[in-house]
């Protein structure tokens, strides 16, 4: 496969990336240089996916689709929502009114009813669900779509992280007969997202968002956050129990087996390309992208190490191995006439998971020199064994990436007993505190750092209840951080 026919276009090959320690510079330089996003599009908050970025997106979203397809049907709803529908659910519109882009004209004619560019699709879908759902036999309904959505974000926009056009918004919407079934669906959604992030080797913490910061219109919101290299958290997915509030607004009812009518209960859950921002940021290093084998556009880079007089034999051996590996994997045989160092540099930058080098010595003894993107060491194996070893190497690499990321994350989480400690620690990571349920104490802590909410799942063993850090009453474990 040809990942980038124009391989020599990797700009400024000799210039090093800024070190990852300077996270913001590193991130922006990397996504441009590894040809993921072109940030030069002349509208704030909108960016261009390069072909290589699209390949990463395709592999990552293949996993998400595979998981969704198990019990959801794919649908497509229009991008434009009439103002009359968007405004029906009062809390929902209140939450989004400052973020909506409006279409007001068709050509020169002013529209009778303004049309919103979907910020999310509840109000596009639910009037149609009213038409789709008649009886208990139509339930549960579980659908998803992967579309673009638009949010006029006023906080600092950043590629893949905070967008005004979210290009890859996976939104799932489900409808159930009872509140309990909706609760069960939220639990399932959380498990789907856990699986998704485990496959990307991205560790997460899961919190129940505070009452005043839940999804507009929801009963409660469960959020996944990961910790970025600068210690700030990034919300990488949410699942919402909507109860029957949207059902009441949009009059979505079903006939029960006994003939009575009842409102339905709903959930929705979403993931955006922030999952790719997390993938890049959590695993990447000073040399560029580090991607788990499953999602790397170039899973294996075969590098012929050419010496004068031996070019033919080396190229033949590299091509032969390349062809064999291509029967199962995404492979590039880098035949460009650059020096090996330049080739290594390129495939490191692009996050090729496995590198296989073949030079004259390897041609002679039927071997190859193998190295993994996340480790510096090289080792020699017989060429006959390479194909059958790949799966095992890929799994081991994912395990290593996950362990490393998990350790880094654990080092960035600390339980704090005093407010002073929280203030100090959130410059480095997530502070865990005990907090009572009152809005007053929540708001006070929110002034120190953003309150992510009550901890549902965290990879550390810490007492789940204790005295509130503000008022001293009985409290639960909560997470506080600086957030993206
Ligand atoms: C769930 C899907 C919703 O919109 N409606 C349908 C629900 N939830 S949410 O929390 O508002 O968004 C889901 C996830 O999308 C990401 N996200 C963004 N990503 C990039 N740029 C943005 N401007 C942006 N806004 C939200 C977050 O990961 C969020 O959890």
């Amino acid at each position: 496969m040809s990942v980038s026919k124009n391989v020599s276009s990797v700009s400024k090959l000799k210039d090093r990336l800024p070190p990852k320690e300077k996270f913001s510079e590193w991130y922006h330089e990397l996504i441009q240089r590894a040809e993921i996003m072109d940030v030069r599009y002349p509208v704030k908050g909108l960016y261009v996916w390069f072909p290589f970025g699209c390949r990463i997106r395709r592999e990552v979203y293949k996993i998400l689709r595979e998981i969704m397809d198990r019990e959801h049907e794919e649908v497509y709803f229009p991008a434009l929502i009439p103002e009359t529908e968007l405004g029906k659910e009062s809390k929902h519109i209140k939450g989004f009114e400052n973020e909506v882009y409006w279409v007001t004209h068709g050509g020169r004619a002013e529209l009778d009813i303004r049309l919103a560019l979907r910020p999310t699709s509840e109000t596009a879908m639910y009037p149609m669900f009213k038409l789709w759902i008649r009886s208990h036999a139509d339930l549960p309904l579980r659908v998803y779509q992967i579309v673009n959505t638009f949010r006029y974000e006023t906080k600092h926009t950043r590629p893949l992280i905070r967008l005004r056009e979210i290009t890859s918004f996976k939104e799932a919407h489900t409808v159930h007969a009872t509140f309990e079934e909706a609760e069960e669906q939220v639990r399932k959604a959380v498990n789907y997202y856990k699986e998704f992030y485990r496959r990307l080797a991205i560790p997460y913490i899961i919190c129940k968002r505070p009452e005043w910061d839940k999804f507009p219109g929801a009963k409660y919101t469960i959020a996944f956050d990961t910790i970025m290299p600068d210690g700030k958290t990034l919300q990488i997915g949410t699942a919402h129990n909507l109860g029957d509030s949207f059902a009441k607004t949009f009059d979505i009812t079903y006939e029960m087996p006994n003939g009575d009518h009842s409102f339905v209960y709903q959930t929705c859950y979403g993931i955006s390309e922030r999952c790719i921002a997390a993938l890049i940021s959590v695993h990447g290093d000073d040399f560029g992208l580090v991607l788990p084998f499953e999602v790397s556009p170039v899973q294996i880079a075969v590098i012929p190490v050419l010496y004068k007089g031996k070019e033919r034999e080396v190229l033949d051996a590299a091509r032969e191995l390349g062809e064999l590996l291509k029967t199962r994997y995404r492979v590039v045989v880098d035949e460009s006439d650059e020096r090996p160092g330049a080739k290594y540099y390129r495939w490191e930058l692009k996050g090729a998971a496995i590198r296989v080098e073949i030079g004259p010595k390897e041609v002679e003894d039927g071997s190859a020199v193998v190295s993994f993107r996340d480790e510096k060491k090289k080792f020699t194996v017989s060429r006959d064994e390479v194909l059958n070893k790949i799966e095992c190497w890929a799994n081991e690499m994912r395990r290593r990436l996950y362990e490393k990321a998990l350790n880094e994350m654990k080092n960035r989480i600390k339980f704090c007993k005093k407010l002073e400690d929280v203030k100090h620690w959130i410059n480095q990571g997530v502070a865990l505190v005990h907090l009572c349920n009152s809005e007053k104490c929540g708001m006070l802590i929110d002034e120190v750092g953003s309150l992510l909410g009550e901890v549902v799942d965290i990879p550390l063993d810490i007492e789940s209840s204790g005295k509130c850090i503000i008022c001293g009453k009985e409290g639960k474990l909560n997470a506080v951080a600086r957030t993206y």
Side-chain angles (χ1 to χ4, degrees):
M1 107 174 195
S2 69
V3 153
S4 178
K5 290 197 188 79
N6 188 7
V7 277
S8 60
S9 76
V10 176
S11 59
K12 299 189 280 183
L13 265 181
K14 299 231 161 37
D15 298 350
R16 297 195 75 104
L17 279 173
K20 195 179 176 187
E21 268 166 41
K22 297 183 177 173
F23 173 65
S24 184
E25 281 170 57
W26 173 87
Y27 179 80
H28 282 88
E29 193 66 33
L30 176 58
I31 58 168
Q32 184 78 35
R33 241 200 262 179
E35 298 178 316
I36 298 169
M37 305 300 293
D38 198 330
V39 300
R40 294 171 296 184
Y41 193 74
V43 179
K44 183 175 153 62
L46 274 54
Y47 308 91
V48 177
W49 285 95
F50 277 119
F52 188 76
C54 272
R55 282 173 191 265
I56 298 179
R57 181 172 74 152
R58 190 165 72 198
E59 300 308 330
V60 169
Y61 277 71
K62 202 188 276 173
I63 300 178
L64 197 50
R65 269 180 196 285
E66 182 209 305
I67 294 172
M68 284 295 113
D69 285 340
R70 289 180 204 154
E71 71 160 9
H72 305 72
E73 297 264 33
E74 187 171 2
V75 291
Y76 180 80
F77 280 72
L80 297 175
I81 305 176
E83 183 170 18
T84 40
E85 299 299 344
L86 188 77
K88 267 190 185 150
E89 218 291 335
S90 58
K91 289 191 188 118
H92 187 71
I93 184 63
K94 207 160 170 277
F96 279 107
E97 65 192 348
N98 292 328
E99 293 186 9
V100 176
Y101 282 92
W102 290 104
V103 176
T104 57
H105 287 75
R108 286 170 183 226
E110 197 166 325
L111 300 178
D112 291 341
I113 296 175
R114 294 196 298 167
L115 300 170
L117 273 175
R118 59 180 164 218
T120 168
S121 302
E122 285 74 9
T123 57
M125 292 186 173
Y126 301 172
M128 300 304 293
F129 286 4
K130 175 183 162 58
L131 306 176
W132 291 3
I133 293 160
R134 290 268 152 263
S135 88
H136 59 92
D138 300 321
L139 299 175
L141 176 75
R142 298 187 190 94
V143 297
Y144 79 97
Q145 63 179 11
I146 300 175
V147 296
N148 58 349
T149 58
F150 295 84
R151 295 183 181 183
Y152 185 74
E153 296 279 359
T154 46
K155 273 173 93 176
H156 186 34
T157 53
R158 288 170 213 269
L160 300 172
I161 289 178
R162 186 172 298 281
L163 308 157
R164 286 186 171 173
E165 179 185 1
I166 309 171
T167 67
S168 317
F169 194 64
K170 190 288 296 170
E171 49 177 327
H173 297 260
T174 71
V175 189
H176 307 270
T178 64
F179 184 78
E180 289 69 35
E181 282 177 43
E183 285 223 290
E184 175 57 21
Q185 190 65 36
V186 170
R187 273 194 290 275
K188 279 187 181 175
V190 166
N191 284 332
Y192 290 140
Y193 287 0
K194 279 185 180 178
E195 180 185 342
F196 175 63
Y197 282 114
R198 285 303 287 261
R199 278 170 75 174
L200 298 180
I202 294 174
Y204 46 76
I205 55 184
I206 306 176
C207 293
K208 188 172 182 183
R209 302 286 291 140
E211 268 306 299
W212 60 90
D213 224 3
K214 57 192 187 184
F215 182 68
K219 284 265 177 296
Y220 62 85
T221 290
I222 307 287
F224 281 64
D225 284 83
T226 197
I227 307 180
M228 297 290 259
D230 58 0
K232 289 206 246 174
T233 57
L234 180 69
Q235 188 187 88
I236 49 173
T238 43
H240 316 285
N241 189 335
L242 303 176
D244 59 1
S245 53
F246 282 90
K248 284 179 172 155
T249 304
F250 290 97
D251 191 31
I252 313 172
T253 62
Y254 72 101
E255 190 180 328
M256 296 193 282
N258 69 6
D260 291 348
H261 282 80
S262 168
F263 285 112
V264 298
Y265 293 84
Q266 293 174 271
T267 81
C268 66
Y269 30 103
I271 277 182
S272 76
E273 55 257 60
R274 277 188 186 179
C275 61
I276 295 171
L279 189 69
I280 294 167
S281 309
V282 168
H283 301 311
D285 65 17
D286 286 354
F287 302 96
L289 296 173
V290 178
L291 300 169
F293 185 86
E294 190 178 6
V295 295
S296 182
V298 180
Q299 295 175 305
I300 307 164
V302 180
I303 317 261
V305 183
L306 302 171
Y307 282 90
K308 276 220 168 65
K310 296 276 185 193
E311 286 100 337
R312 195 66 276 141
E313 294 91 322
V314 168
L315 266 182
D316 284 350
R319 283 178 188 160
E320 192 185 324
L321 181 61
E323 286 310 312
L324 182 69
L325 295 172
K326 277 180 198 175
T327 57
R328 288 195 215 157
Y329 303 110
R330 297 183 291 276
V331 183
V332 165
V333 179
D334 189 344
E335 296 191 15
S336 65
D337 51 15
E338 287 161 305
R339 297 161 56 82
K343 295 183 186 183
Y344 300 159
Y345 183 96
R346 169 163 49 250
W347 298 115
E348 272 178 351
L349 179 66
K350 296 261 182 166
I354 297 174
R355 186 171 85 199
V356 181
E357 294 159 52
I358 299 177
K361 181 170 169 294
E362 287 71 45
V363 170
E364 239 155 64
D365 63 13
S367 69
V369 176
V370 174
S371 56
F372 305 127
R373 177 61 183 84
D374 62 321
E375 288 187 324
K376 281 282 161 236
K377 57 180 186 246
K378 292 183 181 189
F379 59 97
T380 302
V381 286
S382 157
R383 279 210 293 287
D384 296 337
E385 289 177 36
V386 174
L387 182 66
N388 290 329
K389 287 258 166 83
I390 298 283
E391 200 180 316
C392 171
W393 289 338
N395 287 333
E396 283 171 3
M397 182 173 170
R398 178 173 25 222
R399 211 168 307 130
R400 278 197 307 273
L401 290 180
Y402 184 70
E403 287 301 317
K404 180 165 175 283
L406 187 64
N407 277 333
E408 280 169 14
M409 183 160 115
K410 284 180 179 171
N411 288 335
R412 287 201 179 271
I413 303 175
K414 192 176 148 193
F415 179 72
C416 297
K417 277 197 160 158
K418 295 197 211 108
L419 215 48
E420 269 311 304
D421 294 347
V422 176
K423 274 184 200 160
H424 196 69
W425 180 256
I426 60 168
N427 290 315
Q428 301 186 53
V430 172
L432 297 179
V433 298
H434 286 129
L435 197 69
C436 75
N437 212 7
S438 81
E439 189 160 333
K440 188 167 160 240
C441 291
M443 289 293 189
L444 278 173
I445 200 97
D446 223 17
E447 283 172 17
V448 178
S450 300
L451 178 59
L452 301 182
E454 187 186 321
V455 171
V456 174
D457 191 341
I458 201 155
L460 287 173
D461 212 9
I462 291 172
E463 281 298 319
S464 64
S465 55
K467 300 264 176 280
C468 175
I469 188 168
I470 308 277
C471 71
K473 284 191 198 134
E474 223 17 62
K476 295 260 178 69
L477 195 64
N478 275 255
V480 187
R482 288 180 306 131
T483 60
Y484 269 98

